[in-house]
Amino acid sequence: MELINAAASVVDDIKQALSAQGIDKTSLRIAMNMGWGGASFYLVLDEPGDMDQVQNIDGIKFIVQQSLIDMFEGFTIESVKRGEQTMFRILPKVEQDMGGCSTCTSC
């Protein structure tokens, strides 16, 4: 199973973003945050642990905790450019209903 789907141009954008910040590490973890709108995903500098799966794409080591893989079956990373800024969007392969505003009836 492919853990991470990222076009070559997206990996290049990630490399440029790291370089622009003077960061020479190339290990990035896909992490999850739960908020009112449900799950959101982001990239953080890290090293793999015992409960992780790793996929190397053109010199960038993407790390994902096994529990996230079990739940979402992998991720697609996209880059979005707005002027001089590049942002990264991380989308799960399988959407999960994890609460948030979509399950709340009090509003």
Side-chain angles (χ1 to χ4, degrees), residues 12-59:
D12 287 342
D13 288 343
I14 290 171
K15 289 178 180 179
Q16 289 175 10
L18 292 171
S19 177
Q21 296 297 317
I23 298 169
D24 60 358
K25 285 185 74 171
T26 58
S27 296
L28 296 171
R29 176 179 297 279
I30 293 181
M32 180 178 78
N33 184 46
M34 286 298 296
W36 288 107
S40 61
F41 303 94
Y42 56 97
L43 297 172
V44 61
L45 294 169
D46 201 1
E47 293 295 328
D50 294 339
M51 303 298 290
D52 296 326
Q53 296 291 322
V54 177
Q55 182 177 340
N56 191 317
I57 302 176
D58 195 24

Side-chain angles (χ1 to χ4, degrees), residues 23-98:
I23 298 169
D24 60 358
K25 285 185 74 171
T26 58
S27 296
L28 296 171
R29 176 179 297 279
I30 293 181
M32 180 178 78
N33 184 46
M34 286 298 296
W36 288 107
S40 61
F41 303 94
Y42 56 97
L43 297 172
V44 61
L45 294 169
D46 201 1
E47 293 295 328
D50 294 339
M51 303 298 290
D52 296 326
Q53 296 291 322
V54 177
Q55 182 177 340
N56 191 317
I57 302 176
D58 195 24
I60 300 291
K61 188 184 325 179
F62 292 97
I63 306 162
V64 184
Q65 187 174 357
Q66 184 62 50
S67 63
L68 291 181
I69 295 166
D70 294 343
M71 191 178 303
F72 298 104
E73 298 182 14
F75 298 89
T76 297
I77 304 174
E78 301 174 345
S79 60
V80 179
K81 294 183 181 185
R82 295 213 173 106
E84 297 291 318
Q85 189 174 22
T86 302
M87 295 166 276
F88 300 98
R89 180 174 34 209
I90 303 167
L91 304 168
K93 288 185 181 179
V94 174
E95 293 285 336
Q96 298 287 339
D97 183 6
M98 301 188 67

